[in-house]
């Protein structure tokens, strides 16, 4: 398998109401890139939140007593803490400069996935309201206009338990299953795999993150080409929740 990754650096700064699929098509033309069947489009979640008008003005927030208390423990802006509370089902852990919570989507991550980078001062972007729905809308629009079979993955950058540093992960997808269940297949020695599951969408998001970067790279969209398992994983029904471990089996939260 030979994977190719193309970063789109001709995407302008996005504002509310912008059509992401149209921006992607325009960027492809400027960079002289054409979509092929079974290309996978990875899009930074900030792009989605901005286009959907899902932006928080921290200056408009009046922090609660609970937010002020947590802010003292975490050394965070009380207004930001209130925003985190509003975007969370549950606060799981509080530490110096981080708050681990379960978001309303069911993701367990730092600060409810709220991002203060790549937006104007005093603003923050929470995760898209429904990343799977956003991914599906963009995929259908691109497929209709370009007559190609595609998959779309919405990406975010998150930390991991027991490891330093952040990696790209998938928070929404459409057109392919985010999880590859390989139980029943054989390894190199002929032994049957028993419980092997591969978080394929996360692996693709991690690869795209190398191009997207975290600072001023200006590459919010990456095209992955040559993923030979596309046919095996293509699926227009599965969403990202196949990746989420059920709470009763999440031993790290007990």
């Amino acid at each position: 398998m030979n994977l190719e990754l193309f970063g789109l650096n001709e995407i302008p700064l996005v504002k509310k109401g912008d059509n992401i699929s149209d921006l992607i098509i325009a960027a492809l033309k400027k960079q002289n890139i054409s979509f092929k069947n079974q290309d996978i489009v990875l899009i930074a979640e900030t792009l989605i939140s901005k286009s959907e008008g899902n932006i928080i003005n921290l200056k408009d927030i009046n922090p609660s007593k609970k937010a002020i208390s947590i802010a003292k423990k975490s050394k965070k802006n009380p207004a930001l803490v209130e925003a985190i509370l509003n975007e969370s089902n549950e606060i799981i852990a509080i530490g110096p400069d981080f708050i681990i919570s379960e978001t309303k989507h069911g993701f367990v991550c730092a600060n409810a996935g709220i991002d203060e980078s790549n937006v104007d001062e005093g603003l923050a972007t929470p995760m898209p309201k429904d990343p799977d729905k956003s991914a599906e809308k963009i995929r259908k629009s691109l497929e209709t206009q370009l007559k190609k079979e595609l998959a779309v993955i919405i990406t975010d950058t998150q930390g991991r338990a027991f490891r330093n540093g952040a990696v790209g992960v998938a928070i929404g997808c459409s057109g392919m299953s985010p999880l590859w269940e390989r139980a029943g297949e054989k390894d190199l020695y002929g032994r049957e795999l028993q419980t092997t599951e591969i978080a394929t969408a996360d692996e693709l998001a991690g690869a795209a993150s190398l191009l997207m970067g975290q600072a001023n790279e200006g590459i919010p969209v990456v095209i992955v080409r040559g993923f030979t398992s596309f046919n095996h994983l293509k699926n227009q029904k599965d969403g990202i929740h196949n990746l989420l471990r059920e709470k009763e089996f999440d031993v790290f939260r007990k």
Side-chain angles (χ1 to χ4, degrees), residues 27-52:
L28 288 167
K29 290 179 180 178
K30 289 180 180 179
Q31 295 181 224
N32 198 29
I33 300 172
S34 298
F35 268 127
K36 292 186 178 181
N37 275 321
Q38 302 189 345
D39 280 351
I40 303 170
V41 187
L42 295 106
I43 307 171
E45 55 88 17
T46 302
L47 218 65
I48 306 299
S49 289
K50 285 182 176 180
S51 70
E52 295 175 348

Tab-separated table of all heavy atoms in Angstrom, residues 27-52:
chain	number	residue	atom	x	y	z
A	27	ALA	N	-10.321	25.122	-3.532
A	27	ALA	CA	-8.910	24.934	-3.171
A	27	ALA	C	-8.256	23.875	-4.039
A	27	ALA	O	-7.093	24.016	-4.447
A	27	ALA	CB	-8.804	24.554	-1.696
A	28	LEU	N	-8.988	22.806	-4.334
A	28	LEU	CA	-8.457	21.759	-5.203
A	28	LEU	C	-8.102	22.314	-6.575
A	28	LEU	O	-7.048	22.001	-7.143
A	28	LEU	CB	-9.480	20.625	-5.343
A	28	LEU	CG	-9.688	19.720	-4.127
A	28	LEU	CD1	-10.931	18.862	-4.317
A	28	LEU	CD2	-8.480	18.830	-3.901
A	29	LYS	N	-8.977	23.149	-7.107
A	29	LYS	CA	-8.735	23.743	-8.428
A	29	LYS	C	-7.500	24.631	-8.402
A	29	LYS	O	-6.673	24.601	-9.316
A	29	LYS	CB	-9.964	24.528	-8.873
A	29	LYS	CG	-11.164	23.656	-9.231
A	29	LYS	CD	-12.367	24.498	-9.637
A	29	LYS	CE	-13.562	23.618	-9.997
A	29	LYS	NZ	-14.767	24.429	-10.355
A	30	LYS	N	-7.364	25.444	-7.340
A	30	LYS	CA	-6.213	26.331	-7.235
A	30	LYS	C	-4.905	25.553	-7.152
A	30	LYS	O	-3.863	26.007	-7.629
A	30	LYS	CB	-6.368	27.246	-6.017
A	30	LYS	CG	-7.433	28.322	-6.160
A	30	LYS	CD	-7.504	29.177	-4.918
A	30	LYS	CE	-8.572	30.262	-5.050
A	30	LYS	NZ	-8.670	31.099	-3.827
A	31	GLN	N	-4.951	24.392	-6.500
A	31	GLN	CA	-3.741	23.592	-6.321
A	31	GLN	C	-3.590	22.525	-7.400
A	31	GLN	O	-2.702	21.676	-7.325
A	31	GLN	CB	-3.740	22.957	-4.921
A	31	GLN	CG	-3.658	23.982	-3.810
A	31	GLN	CD	-3.625	23.360	-2.417
A	31	GLN	OE1	-4.304	23.817	-1.523
A	31	GLN	NE2	-2.817	22.322	-2.220
A	32	ASN	N	-4.505	22.555	-8.386
A	32	ASN	CA	-4.443	21.624	-9.513
A	32	ASN	C	-4.487	20.166	-9.049
A	32	ASN	O	-3.717	19.316	-9.512
A	32	ASN	CB	-3.184	21.876	-10.354
A	32	ASN	CG	-3.281	21.253	-11.737
A	32	ASN	OD1	-4.377	21.104	-12.284
A	32	ASN	ND2	-2.147	20.872	-12.302
A	33	ILE	N	-5.412	19.896	-8.119
A	33	ILE	CA	-5.622	18.543	-7.612
A	33	ILE	C	-7.045	18.130	-7.960
A	33	ILE	O	-7.985	18.919	-7.803
A	33	ILE	CB	-5.422	18.469	-6.085
A	33	ILE	CG1	-4.004	18.886	-5.703
A	33	ILE	CG2	-5.701	17.052	-5.571
A	33	ILE	CD1	-3.802	19.028	-4.202
A	34	SER	N	-7.215	16.894	-8.437
A	34	SER	CA	-8.548	16.370	-8.733
A	34	SER	C	-8.845	15.198	-7.809
A	34	SER	O	-7.965	14.381	-7.524
A	34	SER	CB	-8.632	15.904	-10.193
A	34	SER	OG	-8.414	16.987	-11.074
A	35	PHE	N	-10.089	15.125	-7.328
A	35	PHE	CA	-10.490	13.994	-6.509
A	35	PHE	C	-10.505	12.714	-7.343
A	35	PHE	O	-10.827	12.729	-8.535
A	35	PHE	CB	-11.893	14.205	-5.930
A	35	PHE	CG	-11.908	14.858	-4.582
A	35	PHE	CD1	-12.682	15.988	-4.358
A	35	PHE	CD2	-11.175	14.345	-3.524
A	35	PHE	CE1	-12.716	16.594	-3.121
A	35	PHE	CE2	-11.195	14.933	-2.285
A	35	PHE	CZ	-11.964	16.058	-2.073
A	36	LYS	N	-10.161	11.601	-6.696
A	36	LYS	CA	-10.316	10.275	-7.290
A	36	LYS	C	-11.269	9.470	-6.424
A	36	LYS	O	-11.475	9.782	-5.252
A	36	LYS	CB	-8.962	9.569	-7.377
A	36	LYS	CG	-8.004	10.201	-8.377
A	36	LYS	CD	-6.729	9.361	-8.515
A	36	LYS	CE	-5.791	9.970	-9.553
A	36	LYS	NZ	-4.560	9.152	-9.723
A	37	ASN	N	-11.861	8.432	-7.011
A	37	ASN	CA	-12.731	7.568	-6.235
A	37	ASN	C	-11.992	7.013	-5.023
A	37	ASN	O	-10.829	6.615	-5.115
A	37	ASN	CB	-13.225	6.401	-7.095
A	37	ASN	CG	-14.458	6.759	-7.898
A	37	ASN	OD1	-15.349	7.464	-7.418
A	37	ASN	ND2	-14.510	6.289	-9.136
A	38	GLN	N	-12.691	6.995	-3.907
A	38	GLN	CA	-12.222	6.443	-2.637
A	38	GLN	C	-11.142	7.281	-1.974
A	38	GLN	O	-10.419	6.804	-1.106
A	38	GLN	CB	-11.779	4.988	-2.818
A	38	GLN	CG	-12.907	4.108	-3.363
A	38	GLN	CD	-12.588	2.631	-3.347
A	38	GLN	OE1	-11.439	2.222	-3.193
A	38	GLN	NE2	-13.615	1.809	-3.498
A	39	ASP	N	-11.042	8.554	-2.360
A	39	ASP	CA	-10.244	9.491	-1.574
A	39	ASP	C	-10.937	9.721	-0.233
A	39	ASP	O	-12.175	9.645	-0.122
A	39	ASP	CB	-10.102	10.832	-2.295
A	39	ASP	CG	-9.032	10.818	-3.379
A	39	ASP	OD1	-8.280	9.829	-3.465
A	39	ASP	OD2	-8.960	11.807	-4.133
A	40	ILE	N	-10.150	10.016	0.786
A	40	ILE	CA	-10.682	10.304	2.120
A	40	ILE	C	-10.331	11.746	2.461
A	40	ILE	O	-9.166	12.147	2.376
A	40	ILE	CB	-10.094	9.334	3.166
A	40	ILE	CG1	-10.400	7.884	2.763
A	40	ILE	CG2	-10.676	9.630	4.553
A	40	ILE	CD1	-9.655	6.856	3.598
A	41	VAL	N	-11.343	12.526	2.833
A	41	VAL	CA	-11.176	13.951	3.117
A	41	VAL	C	-11.181	14.147	4.626
A	41	VAL	O	-12.173	13.829	5.302
A	41	VAL	CB	-12.307	14.782	2.482
A	41	VAL	CG1	-12.025	16.277	2.645
A	41	VAL	CG2	-12.484	14.424	1.020
A	42	LEU	N	-10.095	14.667	5.169
A	42	LEU	CA	-9.996	14.912	6.607
A	42	LEU	C	-10.021	16.410	6.855
A	42	LEU	O	-9.246	17.164	6.252
A	42	LEU	CB	-8.729	14.276	7.176
A	42	LEU	CG	-8.776	12.732	7.076
A	42	LEU	CD1	-7.861	12.236	5.992
A	42	LEU	CD2	-8.479	12.084	8.404
A	43	ILE	N	-10.926	16.845	7.747
A	43	ILE	CA	-11.189	18.266	7.948
A	43	ILE	C	-11.046	18.602	9.430
A	43	ILE	O	-11.642	17.939	10.287
A	43	ILE	CB	-12.611	18.631	7.477
A	43	ILE	CG1	-12.834	18.153	6.041
A	43	ILE	CG2	-12.853	20.132	7.595
A	43	ILE	CD1	-14.276	18.266	5.574
A	44	ALA	N	-10.287	19.638	9.735
A	44	ALA	CA	-10.107	20.080	11.123
A	44	ALA	C	-11.441	20.581	11.682
A	44	ALA	O	-12.163	21.332	11.021
A	44	ALA	CB	-9.056	21.173	11.195
A	45	GLU	N	-11.746	20.187	12.911
A	45	GLU	CA	-13.055	20.508	13.495
A	45	GLU	C	-13.283	22.009	13.644
A	45	GLU	O	-14.429	22.460	13.589
A	45	GLU	CB	-13.226	19.803	14.844
A	45	GLU	CG	-12.141	20.057	15.887
A	45	GLU	CD	-12.414	21.277	16.732
A	45	GLU	OE1	-13.569	21.753	16.742
A	45	GLU	OE2	-11.470	21.762	17.384
A	46	THR	N	-12.222	22.794	13.807
A	46	THR	CA	-12.391	24.238	13.934
A	46	THR	C	-13.052	24.825	12.693
A	46	THR	O	-13.863	25.751	12.780
A	46	THR	CB	-11.028	24.920	14.175
A	46	THR	OG1	-10.423	24.370	15.346
A	46	THR	CG2	-11.192	26.414	14.359
A	47	LEU	N	-12.713	24.282	11.528
A	47	LEU	CA	-13.316	24.730	10.283
A	47	LEU	C	-14.833	24.522	10.315
A	47	LEU	O	-15.605	25.390	9.896
A	47	LEU	CB	-12.702	23.948	9.120
A	47	LEU	CG	-12.448	24.696	7.815
A	47	LEU	CD1	-11.412	25.774	8.015
A	47	LEU	CD2	-12.008	23.727	6.721
A	48	ILE	N	-15.250	23.374	10.830
A	48	ILE	CA	-16.677	23.052	10.888
A	48	ILE	C	-17.391	23.979	11.865
A	48	ILE	O	-18.447	24.550	11.554
A	48	ILE	CB	-16.877	21.587	11.313
A	48	ILE	CG1	-16.091	20.634	10.412
A	48	ILE	CG2	-18.356	21.238	11.320
A	48	ILE	CD1	-16.483	20.664	8.970
A	49	SER	N	-16.820	24.135	13.063
A	49	SER	CA	-17.462	24.974	14.081
A	49	SER	C	-17.605	26.412	13.601
A	49	SER	O	-18.644	27.048	13.812
A	49	SER	CB	-16.665	24.928	15.386
A	49	SER	OG	-16.807	23.668	16.013
A	50	LYS	N	-16.574	26.944	12.950
A	50	LYS	CA	-16.645	28.313	12.448
A	50	LYS	C	-17.747	28.451	11.398
A	50	LYS	O	-18.533	29.397	11.430
A	50	LYS	CB	-15.305	28.731	11.849
A	50	LYS	CG	-14.218	29.042	12.865
A	50	LYS	CD	-12.958	29.495	12.137
A	50	LYS	CE	-11.864	29.922	13.088
A	50	LYS	NZ	-10.648	30.363	12.362
A	51	SER	N	-17.806	27.522	10.461
A	51	SER	CA	-18.786	27.622	9.375
A	51	SER	C	-20.208	27.481	9.911
A	51	SER	O	-21.148	28.054	9.348
A	51	SER	CB	-18.520	26.558	8.309
A	51	SER	OG	-18.816	25.265	8.784
A	52	GLU	N	-20.366	26.724	10.991
A	52	GLU	CA	-21.692	26.522	11.577
A	52	GLU	C	-22.036	27.585	12.622
A	52	GLU	O	-23.101	27.530	13.243
A	52	GLU	CB	-21.774	25.122	12.190
A	52	GLU	CG	-21.672	24.016	11.137
A	52	GLU	CD	-21.640	22.612	11.728
A	52	GLU	OE1	-21.472	22.482	12.955
A	52	GLU	OE2	-21.776	21.651	10.950
